[in-house]
Amino acid sequence: RSKESPDERISFYEAGMDEAARERRSLARDVWTALSEKQFFLAYQVQKDARSGAITGYEVLLRWQHPERGLVPPSTFIPVAEECGAISAIGDWVLEHACAEAALWTNKDKIAVNLSPLQLGNTALVDKVRTVLLKTGLPASRLELEVTESAIIGDKARALHILRQIKALGVTVAIDDFGTGYSSLETLRSFPFDKIKLDRSFTTDLENSRQSKAFVRAIVALGKSLEVSVLAEGVETEEQMRVLTAEGCDELQGFLFGRPAPYGEVEIGEEPLRKKTA
Ligand code: C2E
Ligand code: MG
Ligand code: MG
Ligand code: MG
């Protein structure tokens, strides 16, 4: 490439940009129709009590089965949906669909639904949550909402107001990917959380980084003093499970216990694999 003139390199760069932009535009177009074309489905990933191994709930993870591209990962399409504004309609669908499904389960486990920062910036969210609970009959105590730190560093006062109203409904709130954001301690000090979800990177580094272990220990201590539970994400090995449990994490989630899968294909505790209506 060194033989190219700067001009040639720039046009090569621009062509690359065009390609990326075209790709995003094409995904954005498709993501708008994905809802009406029923291309989304939900996967559930089990969460367990670290000490007893009992199931404590399931995280709801959105999946997009694209007609040509196949399964598109959320890390690709969620940012696009946020950029083009489709995320609020998609977020509503996830909430409604997850609550409706969980209301039919014979087991009474909790579901944890991810929220986009954009959803938490809109006061309509509170009404949406209230209406969905009423409509589906899911008890508020069975719903948890996962928010990332980035969701609350925008308009803090508004996010705080919305979170308080949601909690007043009886819904619990977890802070997702904790430790990767900017204002960790400040966030914890001022926001009403019930659970800290320790980012997967700490679990991954546990075996070869003393800092990661020290961080886990510190967050567990913080969780204890704030009386919120601490869940470790991304547990893939027995050794990680052993260390995280020894360090006092309350809950664990990761491929070791189960991959996200449609309900009916995931482990559901003592209950047989069937729905109330079946
Ligand atoms: P997240 O909320 O932190 O979800 C956990 C992610 O880690 C999931 O990726 C899950 O499949 C993956 N994971 C779980 N256990 C393990 C493990 O042991 N090892 C590894 N390597 N990965 C593990 P997924 O499903 O691809 O979702 C990625 C992100 O997309 C989520 O991160 C969340 O931020 C976002 N997302 C997913 N569904 C929704 C949704 O319905 N709404 C919104 N706003 N965001 C969503
Ligand atoms: Mg999450
Ligand atoms: Mg997470
Ligand atoms: Mg994550």
Side-chain angles (χ1 to χ4, degrees):
R1 307 212 46 78
S2 56
K3 288 224 195 78
E4 285 170 5
S5 70
D7 275 0
E8 278 172 313
R9 260 178 279 158
I10 286 168
S11 65
F12 177 81
Y13 175 74
E14 283 176 344
M17 286 284 289
D18 271 1
E19 171 107 44
R22 253 200 313 277
E23 175 74 359
R24 269 202 312 279
R25 267 200 305 275
S26 146
L27 267 179
R29 229 181 2 254
D30 292 355
V31 91
W32 272 114
T33 52
L35 265 184
S36 53
E37 302 289 327
K38 298 192 165 44
Q39 291 162 3
F40 288 124
F41 67 96
L42 301 178
Y44 296 86
Q45 187 181 31
V46 73
Q47 303 176 324
K48 292 195 166 182
D49 183 281
R51 276 159 292 263
S52 71
I55 292 173
T56 52
Y58 299 89
E59 179 170 5
V60 179
L61 295 158
L62 183 58
R63 296 289 177 262
W64 182 14
Q65 186 67 55
H66 188 285
E68 286 106 36
R69 297 167 190 265
L71 210 54
V72 184
S75 54
T76 301
F77 74 81
I78 298 279
V80 171
E82 284 174 339
E83 207 175 75
C84 74
I87 193 68
S88 54
I90 294 172
D92 284 355
W93 181 87
V94 172
L95 193 64
E96 269 181 49
H97 211 72
C99 290
E101 278 195 4
L104 297 174
W105 298 353
T106 49
N107 60 320
K108 297 291 175 235
D109 292 319
K110 202 160 169 161
I111 52 165
V113 174
N114 289 286
L115 286 188
S116 157
L118 292 170
Q119 290 175 277
L120 200 67
N122 188 341
T123 45
L125 179 68
V126 182
D127 272 334
K128 185 72 208 175
V129 172
R130 188 187 294 116
T131 311
V132 165
L133 291 174
L134 274 175
K135 208 166 97 179
T136 61
L138 188 78
S141 60
R142 286 184 60 200
L143 178 63
E144 183 157 271
L145 297 176
E146 295 193 2
V147 301
T148 57
E149 287 169 84
S150 57
I152 39 198
I153 54 179
D155 186 342
K156 268 194 167 184
R158 175 156 54 186
L160 180 55
H161 181 65
I162 294 172
L163 278 183
R164 284 209 178 111
Q165 285 182 285
I166 285 175
K167 279 190 56 76
L169 298 173
V171 171
T172 58
V173 175
I175 179 159
D176 205 356
D177 303 340
F178 186 79
T180 57
Y182 299 99
S183 58
S184 310
L185 293 176
E186 168 60 16
T187 306
L188 278 187
R189 194 166 64 87
S190 49
F191 285 81
F193 292 108
D194 303 280
K195 185 183 288 184
I196 295 170
K197 293 193 77 178
L198 204 56
D199 190 68
R200 173 155 60 89
S201 56
F202 298 103
T203 302
T204 308
D205 287 351
L206 212 52
E207 274 147 271
N208 37 36
S209 150
R210 280 178 49 221
Q211 282 95 329
S212 275
K213 199 161 164 177
F215 189 91
V216 171
R217 187 168 294 171
I219 298 307
V220 168
L222 191 63
K224 292 242 185 319
S225 53
L226 293 174
E227 298 179 326
V228 300
S229 66
V230 176
L231 178 149
E233 302 186 298
V235 184
E236 296 182 354
T237 70
E238 299 273 351
E239 177 62 7
Q240 290 166 348
M241 173 178 80
R242 196 190 60 72
V243 174
L244 291 164
T245 306
E247 291 299 333
C249 287
D250 302 286
E251 285 173 72
L252 305 175
Q253 179 183 347
F255 293 167
L256 181 65
F257 309 103
R259 298 215 168 223
Y263 187 79
E265 288 172 26
V266 291
E267 184 198 351
I268 60 161
E270 311 303 311
E271 297 288 337
L273 285 173
R274 65 182 154 76
K275 293 184 177 184
K276 213 194 263 171
T277 49

